[in-house]
Amino acid sequence: MAPALKSGQIDLYIGYAATDLEYYNNKAGEANGDSTATTSKLNGHLQSLGLVALTPSAAVDQNAFAVTKATAAKYNLTKLSDLAPVASQLVLGAGPECPTRPYCQPGLDSVYGLHFKKFVALDTDGPATRAAFKNGTIDVGLVFSSDGDLNQLGLVVLQDDKHLEAADNVVPILRSAVATDEAKKVLNEISAKLTTSDLVTLNSQVQIQHQDPDAVAKAWLEQHNFGM
């Protein structure tokens, strides 16, 4: 979609702040965990292309680490920093690249000081990870924060309270030529109401319940008083 926006084939693209920044800067590594700063850097690259990124939403789709509800209750876990006292008792599961990837095991170590009892190489947010949660092979696993089946699986995403992951907050990007005050106002109001929990629910309705994406989006807009 980004190339189509860049070439003028479309006017509006709903993107992700960090991913789009690294697309437009040719993977220069500028993205960080601050959505406002990341979007500001993104706009620095978009301006010369006649594009503008609006205010990022709180809704985010990025790598995340989850535990079962039982594990969260047992150790009183809500955020990644809560793992520090108990990580040595827990098993981490993720894709085989995790031990060398800055945003996975090395980042959990350097940013949060987490040293797990063991690492199990699985898939990246796939069926093997889900099976390992179910049979108790792992205690902490890598997922994506907006996965539609998180609630169904009884998983709790731990808040990235020290911003290890780059800020892949949902952000509208549009051509400056069509970025009227009215268009920006409506899009920013929608972004302000959209949450990660909403993304999980919407993805669940489409991916698991097989509802029509347009109908799901329309229902959310109507629920939040955006007339269609």
Side-chain angles (χ1 to χ4, degrees):
M1 294 293 266
L5 181 67
K6 204 171 176 179
S7 66
Q9 291 176 273
I10 60 174
D11 293 320
L12 169 66
Y13 165 62
I14 306 302
Y16 300 98
T19 294
D20 280 285
L21 171 57
E22 295 304 318
Y23 168 78
Y24 285 102
N25 71 10
N26 295 314
K27 299 183 180 179
E30 293 178 288
N32 60 30
D34 184 325
S35 62
T36 301
T38 295
T39 303
S40 178
K41 291 175 183 177
L42 172 60
N43 270 319
H45 293 278
L46 295 178
Q47 188 174 10
S48 63
L49 300 172
L51 305 174
V52 60
L54 303 186
T55 305
S57 171
V60 62
D61 180 29
Q62 63 190 24
N63 283 358
F65 295 91
V67 296
T68 63
K69 289 180 180 178
T71 299
K74 181 179 180 179
Y75 298 107
N76 196 24
L77 306 174
T78 59
K79 53 189 185 296
L80 284 174
S81 58
D82 292 337
L83 284 169
V86 297
S88 62
Q89 305 170 48
L90 305 177
V91 176
L92 171 67
E97 72 283 353
C98 182
T100 58
R101 192 168 180 269
Y103 295 119
C104 204
Q105 199 169 7
L108 292 172
D109 182 351
S110 62
V111 175
Y112 287 98
L114 302 183
H115 306 284
F116 291 94
K117 177 181 178 180
K118 181 182 176 183
F119 170 75
V120 177
L122 301 164
D123 49 16
T124 302
D125 189 46
T129 297
R130 281 149 174 75
F133 270 125
K134 190 172 183 178
N135 64 27
T137 305
I138 63 171
D139 302 295
V140 182
L142 177 69
V143 298
F144 296 143
S145 60
S146 67
D147 282 341
D149 60 353
L150 292 174
N151 294 329
Q152 184 185 56
L153 295 170
L155 297 179
V156 177
V157 169
L158 299 178
Q159 180 192 350
D160 182 12
D161 53 309
K162 294 185 179 180
H163 306 294
L164 165 63
E165 305 298 334
D168 254 336
N169 296 66
V170 174
V171 61
I173 302 172
L174 64 164
R175 294 196 304 116
S176 301
V178 300
T180 63
D181 289 343
E182 182 181 5
K184 290 189 287 186
K185 179 176 181 290
V186 171
L187 289 167
N188 282 333
E189 286 176 352
I190 291 173
S191 291
K193 291 189 176 181
L194 186 66
T195 66
T196 305
S197 178
D198 287 338
L199 289 185
V200 171
T201 299
L202 294 169
N203 285 336
S204 174
Q205 290 171 337
V206 174
Q207 296 167 0
I208 297 174
Q209 300 172 34
H210 305 295
Q211 296 181 29
D212 178 69
D214 289 341
V216 167
K218 182 179 180 182
W220 184 92
L221 289 168
E222 290 176 344
Q223 180 187 349
H224 292 83
N225 302 314
F226 294 102
M228 295 295 290

